[in-house]
Amino acid sequence: MNALIFGAPGSGKGTYSARLQDKLGVEVIAMGDIFRSIIKEDTPLSKTVKSYVQAGLLVPDEIALEVVKDSMLKVHKINGFILDGYPRTLAQANALEKITHIDVVLQLCVPDWVIIERLSSRRVCKNCASVYNLRFLKPKSDNVCDKCGGPLFQRTDDNEEVIKIRLELYERETCPLVRYYDGKKVPFISYTSEKLAVPPDEVVDYFLVELKKLRLI
Ligand code: ADP
Ligand code: ZN
């Protein structure tokens, strides 16, 4: 199963794809995580990437494409993959089509007010990038990752001003891709929720049932 996961920042892409990875043995390629690890290096590339990510802007398409190509080569895609955070522009979608086939789009539809509430209380493990929420998905002990014991931190782009920019860019650049994949007859599995806190397994179970119906798992 080669899947894309689409949804606004804070819609839960990372949370659900990590759980699907555990259940299905698929690889997750998460662009945001890859860019954050590039930022930790001290290279000319890391400085460029940092300037975009911190401002909530999209990293230029040429860089994003190189990064996604490189990650596709590195992972073992025996059971397929879930791409989280790529493509985000039409140019990226066209580039992706030349390197791989996509079987399904997993789509998360969440209203803006929920996103803003969730992102302001989101925390991420410095060590393994697991995602928590201080209000809706708490770690067992404060500021410590359940999985690896690493310290949790707040992303510098998870502040109100930058969140607004990210949401606007999502609407403008990424939303049109829904029509693009629809036009290519790629099947969609959409999960819509108006609630602030949804048990992650509820969403994951829904995706699993629908993926079975499509005979992709
Ligand atoms: P979000 O919660 O906004 O979906 P991510 O962790 O997926 O956050 O991405 C964080 C940042 O990384 C984005 O705001 C953007 O700067 C950069 N980024 C991620 N994916 C891409 C991409 N495909 N093209 C360009 N920039 C990207
Ligand atoms: Zn961790």
Side-chain angles (χ1 to χ4, degrees):
M1 175 197 74
N2 294 347
L4 302 181
I5 189 158
F6 270 167
S11 57
K13 299 180 301 272
T15 305
Y16 307 134
S17 35
R19 283 171 158 78
L20 288 167
Q21 178 172 39
D22 290 345
K23 297 209 175 197
L24 300 174
V26 293
E27 285 288 343
V28 174
I29 301 173
M31 294 299 284
D33 292 346
I34 299 171
F35 284 135
R36 280 184 287 279
S37 66
I38 290 176
I39 289 175
K40 283 188 204 148
E41 299 159 7
D42 187 22
T43 60
L45 176 67
S46 72
K47 290 196 182 73
T48 309
V49 168
K50 188 176 179 180
S51 65
Y52 288 96
V53 172
Q54 288 208 326
L57 301 174
L58 293 179
V59 174
D61 285 340
E62 312 82 71
I63 298 179
L65 178 62
E66 281 311 308
V67 166
V68 82
K69 268 191 189 162
D70 191 49
S71 325
M72 289 275 218
L73 289 176
K74 276 187 198 147
V75 301
H76 302 283
K77 300 180 287 295
I78 304 160
N79 296 324
F81 59 81
I82 301 175
L83 254 182
D84 166 2
Y86 195 98
R88 287 195 196 225
T89 65
L90 206 53
Q92 291 184 6
N94 283 316
L96 184 66
E97 202 172 324
K98 298 199 177 80
I99 56 175
T100 192
H101 173 79
I102 299 300
D103 300 306
V104 64
V105 176
L106 309 176
Q107 189 185 21
L108 298 162
C109 305
V110 176
D112 276 8
W113 68 270
V114 169
I115 283 164
I116 292 165
E117 283 288 321
R118 282 188 190 164
L119 288 184
S120 49
S121 43
R122 170 158 80 178
R123 295 292 183 275
V124 183
C125 173
K126 209 157 207 144
N127 209 15
C128 75
S130 292
V131 180
Y132 298 87
N133 190 293
L134 296 186
R135 293 170 58 199
F136 315 114
L137 201 65
K138 283 191 193 164
K140 290 195 184 84
S141 61
D142 283 355
N143 291 314
V144 179
C145 176
D146 291 351
K147 282 196 186 151
C148 77
L152 306 185
F153 77 108
Q154 181 167 33
R155 281 168 47 174
T156 51
D157 59 346
D158 278 350
N159 70 69
E160 212 169 319
E161 206 181 322
V162 178
I163 291 169
K164 249 183 77 191
I165 297 171
R166 286 157 57 204
L167 283 175
E168 276 165 18
L169 269 174
Y170 180 75
E171 292 283 332
R172 198 172 73 226
E173 302 285 347
T174 311
C175 281
L177 296 184
V178 168
R179 230 176 307 130
Y180 174 91
Y181 284 103
D182 207 34
K184 304 245 171 224
K185 306 274 177 262
V186 177
F188 272 68
I189 304 177
S190 302
Y191 186 93
T192 305
S193 172
E194 300 282 329
K195 285 186 291 188
L196 207 47
V198 182
D201 284 338
E202 192 179 308
V203 185
V204 171
D205 289 345
Y206 172 78
F207 282 142
L208 291 173
V209 167
E210 296 300 315
L211 284 168
K212 275 194 195 120
K213 284 189 198 161
L214 291 172
R215 299 182 184 282
L216 286 170
I217 56 171

